[in-house]
């Protein structure tokens, strides 16, 4: 039997649990958490890497059979049990409590480097009001690169050279954590107010960018490249692997934040509809954000191609004593063919540059390179460049901040639900303490080697651990909690039983896909020798010139970051089992007649 007093306390806690003001606020919170920098950075990069539109096919398949089922499951289980990640998985089974702890650790570690990106955005935002923009004119010919790698990061030559703390980044990082704390000071109540701006403003900016970018020369080339299908690409297994991981990470699954947000919902709420709305809006945002990005890529590709041809035109004009203005961009091809026929040896000796628009379109830029190099370079060429720079970095600020709400919620809610915080400590003070600890640990990213460490955290914390956590989540719901019991809960909450699509994905398809993605990821990573791109300030053509291997001690940290969160899963299970053995042994030793009943009850739960 359950303790009636304990049950009464639980019902009281559920009744008193805070909640958002309305349904729109809740959906915006979930959308803001799911829609983040990955939609603006990584998705366009993957589309560009795999030849544009062909990537959309495996992406949609992954959304349908992996993303949506897991999203629906997390929203439903959080809403039904009304707890954070640790409480939810401990309620399902004492042995599953480690899944919640793992989610909490991942949210904490991801929040560390995610807010460092927010600090970089603040640094560029503050500089966007200068005229001219400070990254327009720098000591070397690639000004935006120099401003990013030298003026902003002040990067060291390699990861082994730590460098000193960069005081301007320390101030920006402190500002970023202060902003997060102010928005989060009262928990879900203040987050709900801030989310109206942070979740909607990026769509306004993206639309403005799209309308303006479509007027740039070369815009059509970028759009054609985005929506052209290269069917041969689909034969590459890595395309399917990257599509599966992208939809998974883009929806912010297994972080615990979605479970925490849904726990503030009334239990009679249509969580299936919520999952479909959040999942589809997230994917729509990825595609919608790709359009202005590819338009700008088309503009930059045309500009680089024209600059390349102008350099060749100047070289040919001087070498063959041709009148200035005779060779133009329009007739460059004809002149080159003519000179190749009349004096091919002289043309060959000039070492003309290879100018090909398709090559420039295929030059990939990912992550920080996309935001702090490609976009800043494009903004320079726009009229009223300061305005566009401010709008762009405000948009990135909103995307980062709304995602940080979910990361911090994934840490605070489980800790508060476990009642490990003494009641005399105000929630505001505890939130401030978590932010202060996070700021102190994240100072590693403000070192001269900070960008190297951020890439390590991004690669190793936000990959394998999330796959493992999600696999244990879906196994816990489908085969420990029981799929029939879960279906009953959803029917009670939504008024109808899950259809065959949800049943098949929860039972078989999604666990199988997670297992395949995990195995494929491990196999692919095992075949590669971990390397990183090092800064070479003397190599002016492109700053990341040297490819180095990680030292053994750094690689050991990489492995530790992959293992540290998920090691909580077996450790908590082992601890619970030892507690059970201890209690059972004591009951047997004391000849408790209910010892066997205790054993049966524990096994059944």
């Amino acid at each position: 039997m359950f303790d009636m007093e304990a049950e009464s306390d639980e019902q009281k806690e559920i009744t008193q649990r805070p909640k958002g003001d309305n349904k729109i606020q809740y959906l915006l919170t979930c959308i803001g958490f799911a829609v983040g920098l990955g939609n603006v950075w990584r998705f366009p990069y993957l589309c560009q890497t795999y030849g544009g539109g062909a990537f959309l096919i495996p992406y949609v398949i992954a959304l349908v059979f992996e993303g949506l089922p897991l999203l629906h499951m997390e929203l439903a289980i959080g809403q039904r049990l009304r707890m954070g990640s640790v409480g939810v998985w401990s309620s399902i089974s004492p042995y599953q409590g480690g899944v919640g702890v793992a989610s909490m650790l991942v949210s904490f570690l991801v929040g560390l480097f995610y807010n460092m990106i927010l600090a970089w955005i603040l640094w560029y935002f503050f500089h966007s009001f200068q005229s001219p923009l400070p990254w327009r004119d720098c000591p070397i010919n690639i000004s935006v690169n120099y401003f990013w790698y030298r003026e902003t990061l002040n990067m060291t030559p390699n990861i082994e050279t730590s460098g000193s703390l960069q005081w301007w980044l320390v101030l920006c990082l402190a500002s970023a954590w202060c902003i997060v704390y102010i928005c989060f000071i009262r928990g879900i109540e203040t987050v709900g107010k801030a989310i109206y701006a942070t979740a909607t403003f990026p769509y306004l900016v993206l639309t403005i960018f799209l309308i303006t970018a479509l007027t740039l020369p070369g815009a059509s080339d970028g759009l054609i490249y985005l929506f052209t299908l290269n069917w041969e690409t689909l034969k590459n297994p890595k395309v399917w692997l990257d599509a599966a991981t992208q939809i998974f990470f883009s929806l912010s699954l297994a972080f615990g934040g979605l479970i925490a947000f849904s726990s503030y919902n009334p239990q009679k709420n249509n969580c299936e509809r919520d999952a479909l709305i959040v999942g589809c809006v997230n994917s729509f945002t990825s595609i919608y954000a790709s359009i202005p990005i590819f338009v700008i890529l088309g503009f930059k590709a045309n500009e680089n191609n024209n600059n390349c041809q102008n350099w060749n035109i100047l070289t040919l004009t001087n070498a063959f004593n041709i009148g200035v203005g005779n060779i133009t961009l329009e007739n460059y091809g004809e002149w080159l063919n003519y000179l190749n026929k009349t004096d091919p040896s002289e043309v060959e000796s000039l070492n003309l540059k290879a100018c090909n628009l398709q090559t420039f379109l295929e030059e990939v830029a990912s992550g920080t390179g996309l935001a702090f190099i490609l976009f800043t370079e494009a903004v320079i060429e726009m009229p009223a460049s300061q305005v566009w720079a401010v709008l762009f970095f405000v948009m990135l600020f909103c995307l980062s901040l709304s995602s940080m709400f979910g990361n911090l919620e994934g840490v605070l809610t489980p800790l508060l639900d476990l009642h490990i915080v003494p009641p005399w400590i105000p929630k505001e003070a505890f939130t401030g303490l978590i932010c202060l600890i996070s700021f102190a640990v994240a100072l590693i990213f403000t070192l001269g080697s900070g960008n190297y460490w951020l890439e390590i955290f991004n690669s190793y914390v936000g990959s394998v651990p999330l796959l493992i956590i999600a696999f244990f989540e879906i196994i816990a719901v489908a085969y420990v909690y029981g799929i029939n019991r879960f279906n009953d809960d959803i029917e009670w909450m939504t008024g109808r039983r899950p259809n065959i699509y949800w049943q098949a994905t929860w039972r078989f398809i999604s666990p199988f896909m997670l297992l395949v993605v995990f195995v494929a990821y491990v196999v692919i990573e095992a075949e590669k020798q971990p390397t990183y791109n090092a800064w070479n300030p003397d190599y002016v053509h492109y700053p990341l010139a040297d490819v180095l291997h990680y030292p053994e001690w750094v690689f050991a940290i990489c492995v530790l970051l992959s293992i540290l969160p998920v090691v909580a899963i077996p450790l908590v299970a082992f601890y619970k089992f030892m507690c059970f053995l201890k209690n059972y042994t004591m009951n047997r030793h004391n000849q408790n007649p209910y010892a066997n009943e205790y054993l049966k009850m524990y096994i059944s739960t």
Side-chain angles (χ1 to χ4, degrees):
M1 292 181 61
F2 293 104
D3 185 354
M4 295 301 294
E5 183 178 350
E7 186 177 5
S8 175
D9 290 342
E10 182 181 345
Q11 291 298 325
K12 182 179 179 181
E13 180 184 341
I14 288 176
T15 303
Q16 295 178 344
R17 191 171 185 84
K19 60 181 180 179
D21 291 344
N22 52 60
K23 183 61 176 288
I24 294 178
Q25 188 180 98
Y26 162 70
L27 286 175
L28 286 176
T29 303
C30 291
I31 290 171
F33 179 39
V35 175
L37 296 176
N39 300 75
V40 179
W41 286 0
R42 193 167 187 268
F43 181 84
Y45 158 71
L46 291 173
C47 284
Q48 188 183 17
T49 301
Y50 296 118
F55 181 75
L56 297 176
I57 297 174
Y59 177 81
V60 171
I61 293 175
L63 170 69
V64 172
F65 293 109
E66 184 183 57
L68 290 178
L70 285 164
L71 179 61
H72 185 193
M73 183 197 73
E74 287 200 354
L75 295 182
I77 203 71
Q79 178 178 304
R80 180 65 182 93
L81 298 179
R82 305 210 74 196
M83 299 178 183
S85 57
V86 176
V88 161
W89 303 116
S90 297
S91 298
I92 287 178
S93 169
Y95 294 115
Q96 292 287 333
V99 176
V101 175
S103 292
M104 183 177 66
L105 290 174
V106 168
S107 288
F108 174 75
L109 293 172
V110 169
L112 294 179
F113 73 82
Y114 212 94
N115 223 31
M116 187 64 229
I117 299 174
L118 187 60
W120 292 339
I121 293 169
L122 287 176
W123 168 256
Y124 268 80
F125 172 74
F126 296 146
H127 283 80
S128 296
F129 294 94
Q130 297 183 24
S131 180
L133 291 173
W135 54 83
R136 192 189 74 175
D137 302 310
C138 282
I140 62 173
N141 58 344
I142 306 182
S143 56
V144 290
N145 291 346
Y146 188 88
F147 186 83
W148 169 238
Y149 289 105
R150 176 54 68 207
E151 298 295 326
T152 301
L153 301 179
N154 195 22
M155 281 182 68
T156 56
N158 54 65
I159 195 171
E160 294 178 275
T161 306
S162 296
S164 59
L165 294 175
Q166 314 302 316
W167 63 266
W168 56 91
L169 293 181
V170 174
L171 289 179
C172 289
L173 182 63
S175 302
W177 278 110
C178 287
I179 292 171
V180 170
Y181 173 70
I182 292 171
C183 293
F184 220 96
I185 192 169
R186 297 285 298 174
I188 194 67
E189 294 97 337
T190 50
V191 168
K193 303 297 186 296
I195 204 68
Y196 284 112
T198 60
T200 57
F201 186 75
Y203 293 97
L204 174 63
V205 176
L206 283 173
T207 302
I208 295 174
F209 260 98
L210 175 60
I211 295 173
T212 305
L214 286 173
T215 64
L216 296 174
S220 58
D221 295 314
L223 288 177
I224 292 171
Y225 186 76
L226 172 61
F227 292 109
T228 299
L229 295 179
N230 183 2
W231 297 104
E232 290 296 316
T233 306
L234 298 179
K235 297 178 181 179
N236 182 358
K238 200 169 186 308
V239 178
W240 297 87
L241 175 62
D242 282 342
T245 53
Q246 171 62 17
I247 194 63
F248 180 82
F249 303 137
S250 176
L251 287 171
S252 302
L253 301 169
F255 282 90
L258 292 171
I259 293 176
F261 286 139
S262 64
S263 71
Y264 299 110
N265 264 348
Q267 291 185 317
K268 294 286 189 177
N269 174 65
N270 193 338
C271 51
E272 177 182 340
R273 181 181 58 199
D274 296 344
L276 293 173
I277 291 174
V278 173
C280 292
V281 168
N282 176 76
S283 296
F284 164 77
T285 304
S286 295
I287 298 172
Y288 188 62
S290 297
I291 296 176
I293 287 174
F294 270 80
V295 167
I296 292 175
L297 282 173
F299 161 67
K300 288 304 303 176
N302 267 270
E303 185 182 63
N304 291 337
N305 190 54
N306 289 343
N307 291 338
C308 177
Q309 291 184 358
N310 280 329
W311 189 90
N312 288 349
I313 289 172
L314 180 62
T315 303
L316 292 172
T317 300
N318 293 333
F320 291 93
N321 294 320
I322 301 173
V324 176
N326 286 331
I327 306 179
T328 64
L329 290 174
E330 289 72 22
N331 62 20
Y332 165 74
E334 298 174 5
W335 269 99
L336 185 61
N337 290 332
Y338 168 75
L339 294 174
N340 268 321
K341 292 178 180 178
T342 57
D343 196 348
S345 59
E346 179 64 19
V347 172
E348 185 178 358
S349 67
L350 296 176
N351 294 320
L352 298 176
K353 294 181 180 180
C355 305
N356 186 285
L357 179 62
Q358 188 68 20
T359 302
F360 288 115
L361 284 170
E362 292 173 357
E363 288 181 351
V364 295
S366 174
T368 54
L370 186 64
F372 299 111
I373 294 178
L374 177 69
F375 260 98
T376 53
E377 189 175 6
V379 162
I380 294 174
E381 309 299 331
M382 296 180 178
S385 56
Q386 286 79 14
V387 176
W388 295 113
V390 169
L391 283 176
F392 176 67
F393 288 110
V394 169
M395 179 192 71
L396 292 185
F397 174 83
C398 291
L399 289 172
S400 303
L401 189 60
S402 58
S403 295
M404 272 303 300
F405 291 158
N407 288 325
L408 193 55
E409 189 70 40
V411 176
L412 289 174
T413 301
L415 292 176
L416 294 172
D417 286 350
L418 289 174
H419 303 292
I420 64 175
V421 182
W424 53 268
I425 298 181
K427 183 178 179 182
E428 295 85 351
F430 180 68
T431 303
L433 179 62
I434 294 295
C435 290
L436 186 61
I437 293 172
S438 300
F439 165 72
V441 177
L443 286 175
I444 187 177
F445 303 125
T446 66
L447 294 169
S449 59
N451 190 52
Y452 302 130
W453 288 110
L454 188 138
E455 291 296 333
I456 287 175
F457 270 69
N458 183 36
S459 299
Y460 290 93
V461 174
S463 56
V464 174
L466 294 177
L467 292 173
I468 296 174
I469 293 168
F471 180 77
F472 277 97
E473 283 185 355
I474 203 164
I475 293 298
V477 170
Y479 299 104
V480 179
Y481 189 76
I483 195 67
N484 292 328
R485 183 182 175 190
F486 187 53
N487 291 336
D488 292 340
D489 288 342
I490 292 179
E491 185 176 13
W492 178 76
M493 290 188 294
T494 65
R496 63 175 182 271
R497 206 165 182 81
N499 56 38
I500 188 64
Y501 160 70
W502 300 114
Q503 301 277 357
T505 51
W506 286 331
R507 288 175 185 264
F508 310 112
I509 300 175
S510 294
F512 176 74
M513 285 188 68
L514 283 172
L515 191 60
V516 169
V517 170
F518 171 73
V519 172
Y521 184 90
V522 171
V523 169
I524 290 175
E525 288 298 315
E527 293 177 350
K528 297 192 304 183
Q529 189 171 3
T531 59
Y532 68 101
N533 293 315
W535 159 261
N536 184 346
D538 298 323
Y539 192 75
V540 297
H541 298 294
Y542 191 67
L544 298 181
D546 300 326
V547 178
L548 304 178
H549 294 288
Y550 283 127
E552 291 185 1
W553 65 273
V554 174
F555 182 67
I557 293 176
C558 296
V559 175
L560 181 64
L561 288 174
S562 296
I563 296 176
L564 180 63
V566 296
V567 77
I569 298 175
L571 284 181
V572 171
F574 179 75
Y575 171 75
K576 292 292 184 180
F577 181 69
M578 294 305 295
C579 290
F580 157 71
L581 284 182
K582 179 181 177 181
N583 293 332
Y584 177 69
T585 303
M586 289 177 60
N587 286 327
R588 293 282 293 178
H589 179 72
N590 296 330
Q591 297 183 344
N592 188 333
Y594 298 104
N596 290 331
E597 293 297 322
Y598 171 75
L599 174 63
K600 292 178 182 178
M601 183 184 72
Y602 194 88
I603 293 174
S604 66
T605 57

